[in-house]
Each structure stands twice: as C-alpha cells, then as structure tokens.
DNA sequence: TAGATTGTTAATCGATTAACAATC
DNA sequence: TAGATTGTTAATCGATTAACAATC
C-alpha cells in the first residue's frame, strides 16, 4: 500500500490545495498540464504522481476534480480524522489556533495547554486553556494522536518527551531546536521559521546568479 | 560556486542549528558521526555535505565548530545581512516579529506593515506599524530585499504582486494559497501549516505500518 | 607508529523526464 | 474517425551510501 515515494507524498498536499481552489471557483475537470503550470512542475510529474493513487484520470479528458480531492485526502490522512492538542499559547500558538483549514482536513483541535498560571482558565477561541497536568487525562478520554508544539525552545525537548510518554504519535514542532534527539520513536515534523528564511535568502542569491549567467 | 545541490542546501541550516547549539554548550570540535546521530543522517552524508564547503575538517580529528559555523553562514546568506519587512500583523505576524534568531542570522526587520487603520500607528515590539502605502518609500530609503507575508489568504496574491512591483526579491509566504501564479520571477518559499500537519498525519500512518511489518 | 576520521571515489539507489501507445 | 490526454515505459538525471586511501 504505502509504496508511494516520499517525494510524491510531499507534493500531494500541494495538489490538494490547488484542486480545492479549482473546486471553489467551480471547475469540475482539470488536466495534468494545468496543474503543472500552476505549481511549476512538469506535466509528466503530475501524471506520475497522480497515477499512484490508482488511475484517477480519463484519457483524452482529464481528471475529475471532486473525486481527485477525495482520493488525495484519503491517501494523506487515511480517510480518518485526527484529534490534535496545542501546547503553548504564545502568539504563535494563538495564530495556530485561529488557523482555518484544520477541520477541513480532518484535524480536530480538542485541547489547548500552557504552563502559565495567568493563562490557564482563560479562553482561546472556543477552548479553555488548561494546565499541562491535565494532558494525561485528556489523552485517555479522547484518542489524541497529534500535538502542535509551540512552546519556547528552552522547554521544548522536555515537553516533547512528555508528549511521547502520554502516548502522542506525532508532533508538529515549531520550537527552533532539535527535539528528536531525546525521543525514541515518535514522528516529528519540524517547522523552523529562521531556517525557512535562510533558505529563502539562499534561493534569492541563487536566482540572481542564474540570471546573471544568461 | 553555486554548484551545491538543492538537497545539500536544504540541510545546511540544520547543520548550522546543531553546531550553534554545540557551541553554546562549549563544544569546540565535532565529528561527522556525532552530527549524523543528532540529525538522523548517515555519517557519509554529513561528510559529503560539509565537503562542498571546501575541506573544513581535519582527518583523524574532526571539524572545528566555530569555523564551520562561519562557513555555513557564509554559504547560506552570502556573508551579508538582509533587510526584511513584515506585512500583516495578525497573531502570526506578531509571533514572527517576536521571533528570536532573525538578527542572529543576518536578517534585520526594518519595517512592519498592515492595512488595518486600527493597527496603524500602534507599536509592535520596537516597530511602529505603518500603512502599506509607505512600503515604496521604505524600500527606496533602505535596500529591502525580503518580505514575510502573513496576511489573509484572500488578499495574499495581490499583496505579493505589489511586493514584486516595489522591487522585493524574495517572499516567505505563510498564506495558504498559491501566490507564485501571478508573479513573474520573484523567489518564494512557502510555509503552509495545514500542509505540514497533513504531512505529519501521513508520516504517522507510515511509521505505524512500518512498525507492524516487523 | 597506531588509531582515528576525513575527503572522495565508485556503486547503488531513487526520482524525474521524454516519449508514445492506449484510450477516451 | 480525429483530436486530446492519460498511464506507463525506458532513459536520464541526481542523490545517497559504502568503502577506503589519504592524512591528521
């Protein structure tokens, strides 16, 4: 089943986003070349990527936007919904909490946690901010599998370890520190804003040197 | 010069972060195997990646942490500093503004912009929030090359286009929408939180199915 | 010198692309 | 049928790894 390449998997969410936008503007059918142009890929690549989903297109016609969306969602999230907790209610945590598009992708925010006594008990959106000590009981009550880690870097590794202990399966880590190190098997996806900016700076330099080579 | 592979470039910031942490705890020398273990890479890969920087190690001994940090920074940012503007002061914008580690990597936040009249004139950290109309003059005064785009998805493409017109070279885009489409040449790095969560969900599923194969 | 670790080669592995037969 | 576009093959391209000579 999961013999889909890592590279393809990483592109599926991009296809999904484009397809959802096409659907929103009322497009029912799309060709590989159109998708390719929007995303800056080759049409070969689009067809190859989509073909791993199991022949979703119609030769001579294209792909049905609606069914393609369903199939990609399926492939990505396993057709199930995930309960997610947010740990750390700084500005970043607040931004993440207000983020549209979680629910749309089968992700339910079921709890919000912080250690700051001044924040505990106050509300963030629909959620009451709870102390970290209540994490265990919530994970037991509801099946919580994913966590968003938005705490300061200094405490992130310790909190990550705790998340592993209570039985979380995956962490989306925003702390600019390596939390993998202290964990045994938990799945981590890192988002480090400084790293992305460094990549941007380098990409700009590269684009310029390519241009000057013409 | 820039014949360094994309894959290697994407790992350099990770090396940098680890090395900086090692330096902070007083480590002067490090071996490829140590770095590999921390990041989950192979030692071969670490040596190969670092070798593109031009023979920074000493056989039988290892790498000098300090000089390696300098060289990687050099390679990534071109040894120069970048002026950056932030556009969009929602929760995400606020979080980004307070983010440590920008200055540490040669990135200076020189201006903060929004369209909301209620926000304009108020302060965010050290910066007064300015109307988008003042973007042009700031870009002229100071050489602003990078922008962080943290506005709602609905207006992101239009704002991105404007950033291109005023002469910005690169955008770090947080809006969950394809802004590349309407731009001609500007360099974009996208960070889409929903996409990262989807990748996490899939990585968790994959890890489980691999485990059950044992 | 003996032990350790790099830098680099050659072999392997995986991902992308071009091209076209299949088929709507 | 004629035109269009997919699905897939084979060829190309690029990235990773194992291994070891070079050398500290």
């Amino acid at each position: 089943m999961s013999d889909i390449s890592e590279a393809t998997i990483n592109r599926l969410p991009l296809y999904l986003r484009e397809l959802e936008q096409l659907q929103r503007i009322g497009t029912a059918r799309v060709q590989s070349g159109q998708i390719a142009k929007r995303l800056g890929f080759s049409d070969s690549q689009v067809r190859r990527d989509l073909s791993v989903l199991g022949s979703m297109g119609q030769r001579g016609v294209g792909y049905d936007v609606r069914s393609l969306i369903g199939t990609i969602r399926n492939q990505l999230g396993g057709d199930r919904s995930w309960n997610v907790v947010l740990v750390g209610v700084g500005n970043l945590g607040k931004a993440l909490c207000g983020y549209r598009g979680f629910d749309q992708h089968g992700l339910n925010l079921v709890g919000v946690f912080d250690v700051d006594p001044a924040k505990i008990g106050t509300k963030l959106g629909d959620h009451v901010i709870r102390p970290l000590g209540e994490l265990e009981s919530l994970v037991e009550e509801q099946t919580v599998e994913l966590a968003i880690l938005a705490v300061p870097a200094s405490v992130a590794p310790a909190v990550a370890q705790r998340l592993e202990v209570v039985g979380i399966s995956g962490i989306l880590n925003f702390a600019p520190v390596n939390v993998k190190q202290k964990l045994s098997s938990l799945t981590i996806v890192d988002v480090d804003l400084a790293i992305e900016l460094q990549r941007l700076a380098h990409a700009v330099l590269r684009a310029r040197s390519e241009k000057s080579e013409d």
Side-chain angles (χ1 to χ4, degrees), chain A:
Chain A
M1 168 215 176
S2 212
D3 47 357
I4 304 182
S5 81
E6 199 61 29
T8 295
I9 289 294
N10 283 331
R11 281 187 296 268
L12 287 182
L14 298 171
Y15 294 128
L16 187 55
R17 194 175 71 179
E18 290 303 308
L19 289 165
E20 283 168 341
Q21 208 202 322
L22 285 170
Q23 190 176 50
R24 232 173 289 126
I25 61 176
T27 312
R29 211 161 30 211
V30 70
Q31 283 78 44
S32 57
Q34 281 176 41
I35 302 177
K37 198 179 167 198
R38 288 178 147 245
L39 289 167
F41 300 160
S42 73
D43 54 341
S44 269
Q45 179 151 87
V46 173
R47 286 201 296 281
R48 165 148 285 229
D49 281 342
L50 297 183
S51 75
V52 303
L53 303 170
S55 298
M56 296 300 307
Q58 226 180 333
R59 295 174 200 231
V61 179
Y63 300 86
D64 181 66
V65 173
R66 212 158 99 82
S67 68
L68 204 46
I69 288 175
T71 312
I72 295 178
R73 280 207 187 126
N74 226 355
Q75 181 55 240
L76 283 174
D79 199 17
R80 50 202 291 300
S81 75
W82 301 81
N83 288 336
V84 184
V85 292
L86 169 66
V87 184
V89 188
N91 279 319
L92 183 60
K94 283 181 199 158
L96 294 168
C97 187
Y99 204 71
R100 308 250 135 259
F102 280 173
D103 5 329
Q104 290 164 37
H105 296 101
L107 301 158
N108 314 315
L109 191 62
V110 295
V112 175
F113 295 86
D114 204 297
V115 291
D116 183 353
K119 288 177 185 164
I120 291 165
T122 65
K123 278 198 137 187
L124 176 62
D126 297 338
H127 294 273
V128 176
I129 300 174
R130 308 160 77 173
L132 211 53
E134 291 183 15
L135 192 62
E136 282 80 354
S137 58
L138 180 72
V139 172
E140 263 174 46
E141 270 169 47
Q142 312 193 32
T143 311
V144 181
E145 294 167 294
L146 305 182
I148 300 173
L149 189 57
V151 302
S154 54
V155 299
V159 176
Q161 227 168 351
R162 182 154 180 190
L163 288 167
E164 179 164 54
V165 170
V166 302
I168 297 283
S169 303
I171 296 178
L172 185 62
N173 172 44
F174 287 89
V177 67
N178 185 347
V179 299
K180 255 167 241 161
Q181 243 184 117
K182 301 219 169 178
L183 303 173
S184 52
S185 67
L186 200 145
T187 304
I188 299 272
V189 168
D190 286 293
V191 179
D192 185 320
L193 309 176
I195 285 182
E196 300 302 336
L197 263 172
Q198 285 171 52
R199 285 180 182 157
L200 176 63
H202 193 276
V204 167
L205 287 180
R206 176 179 286 229
R208 281 184 191 158
S209 75
E210 275 168 15
K211 202 180 235 172
S212 69
E213 271 166 21
D214 297 344

